[in-house]
Amino acid sequence: MSHDTRPAALRALGSQVAWSIVRRAEALRTGKAGHGGREPLLARGPVFRVPHGDAVAGPVPGRGGGTAVGAGEPSDVATPVALTVDDGPDPTWTPALLDVLAAHAVEATFFVVGERAREHPGLLRRLLAAGHHLGNHSYSHFQPFAALPAAAVARELHETQRVVTGETGVRPALFRAPAGGWSRRVLAAARDHGLTPVDWTVDPKDWREPPADRIAERVARARPGDIVLCHDGGGDRSRTVKALDLALTRLRERGTLFTAL
């Protein structure tokens, strides 16, 4: 990294640390009963939880007799969990993950990297055909993302929008900064492109490739309204695929509903 960009990178890393603190605080609030309708800690920041209006009442897989969620239960039981998947599409791990999601009848939101989307446009169409949603995860996945000049941030968002829309006819409505690299500049660029910035509250850190049972344990802690972060690109994601099969089984047995953002 050149001397000229180092100060910006240091500021960006500081911003990521600050957002990490906000993320932890938001996750704690999410885990407490009765907070479903509260505003996020920072009203102009990214979305950290499933919008309260997305609460669902309906049959849950694994419940006998088609018992409806919300029937004789607290209303927040019907608030779904959102599974989000970053860094793909990947020709090995995205199809494997699609098989797991189909087996558990879970629709997710895939935040795709523009460069990888351009290389594997068929996977974009396959994701949409399976009922999943596509989000913008920048074009090159540069880190620290918030260190980029405003014009570069705008290009990263614009190029990914162009690729995904051109290949699928569907324009993403959501954006997630690489590694949660938020700043006022990044948030403003997202909104300038008509994109809602999305963060997360449950992070199993599967990108570090821990054992599958550890990833599964962390994902299975998700509670109504949580946004879960996982990955299908950027490395060996075999542990993530195995872990999600385990975690989704546990969550479905608990009566958890899922939604694509």
Side-chain angles (χ1 to χ4, degrees):
M1 182 174 292
S2 69
H3 177 74
D4 291 340
T5 60
R6 187 167 299 164
L10 290 174
R11 289 194 297 272
L13 289 172
S15 177
Q16 284 189 222
V17 170
W19 278 107
S20 178
I21 294 170
V22 173
R23 184 178 299 121
R24 288 173 182 272
E26 194 68 42
L28 288 172
R29 294 169 80 246
T30 298
K32 294 181 179 179
H35 285 196
R38 291 181 59 175
E39 292 295 320
L41 289 174
L42 297 177
R44 295 292 293 171
V47 173
F48 284 93
R49 57 176 290 120
V50 177
H52 192 56
D54 285 359
V56 177
V60 180
R63 291 194 178 192
T67 302
V69 172
E73 297 177 351
S75 59
D76 66 344
V77 173
T79 303
V81 167
L83 176 63
T84 63
V85 185
D86 288 9
D87 291 3
D90 180 274
T92 298
W93 307 119
T94 304
L97 192 55
L98 277 171
D99 290 342
V100 170
L101 297 178
H104 294 278
V106 170
E107 294 179 357
T109 303
F110 285 75
F111 286 90
V112 300
V113 175
E115 287 181 335
R116 295 165 193 167
R118 180 174 54 82
E119 293 171 0
H120 308 290
L123 287 175
L124 299 179
R125 294 187 283 273
R126 183 173 170 183
L127 286 164
L128 290 173
H132 304 291
H133 293 181
L134 299 178
N136 185 324
H137 196 40
S138 82
Y139 188 77
S140 67
H141 206 269
F142 178 89
Q143 295 185 64
F145 193 72
L148 290 173
V153 171
R155 281 195 301 271
E156 291 274 334
L157 274 60
H158 174 77
E159 283 303 301
T160 301
Q161 292 293 90
R162 183 184 64 80
V163 168
V164 175
T165 305
E167 294 292 349
T168 68
V170 176
R171 183 176 179 83
L174 308 175
F175 171 72
R176 175 173 285 158
W182 303 109
S183 68
R184 283 182 290 182
R185 175 186 297 167
V186 172
L187 291 166
R191 294 192 172 93
D192 286 346
H193 283 77
L195 293 161
T196 298
V198 177
D199 207 277
W200 60 84
T201 48
V202 176
D203 180 7
K205 300 191 183 301
D206 60 322
W207 57 272
R208 292 180 176 172
E209 300 180 12
D213 57 351
R214 188 180 305 168
I215 299 172
E217 178 186 0
R218 291 172 177 170
V219 173
R221 295 175 188 168
R223 294 294 183 268
D226 273 330
I227 297 177
V228 180
L229 169 67
C230 285
H231 297 80
D232 66 336
D236 181 347
R237 300 298 175 227
S238 57
R239 296 171 183 83
T240 299
V241 173
K242 180 179 179 180
L244 282 179
D245 194 24
L246 296 170
L248 294 177
T249 298
R250 296 174 194 171
L251 288 166
R252 281 303 201 190
E253 288 174 350
R254 206 168 71 206
T256 301
L257 287 173
F258 291 87
T259 187
L261 293 170

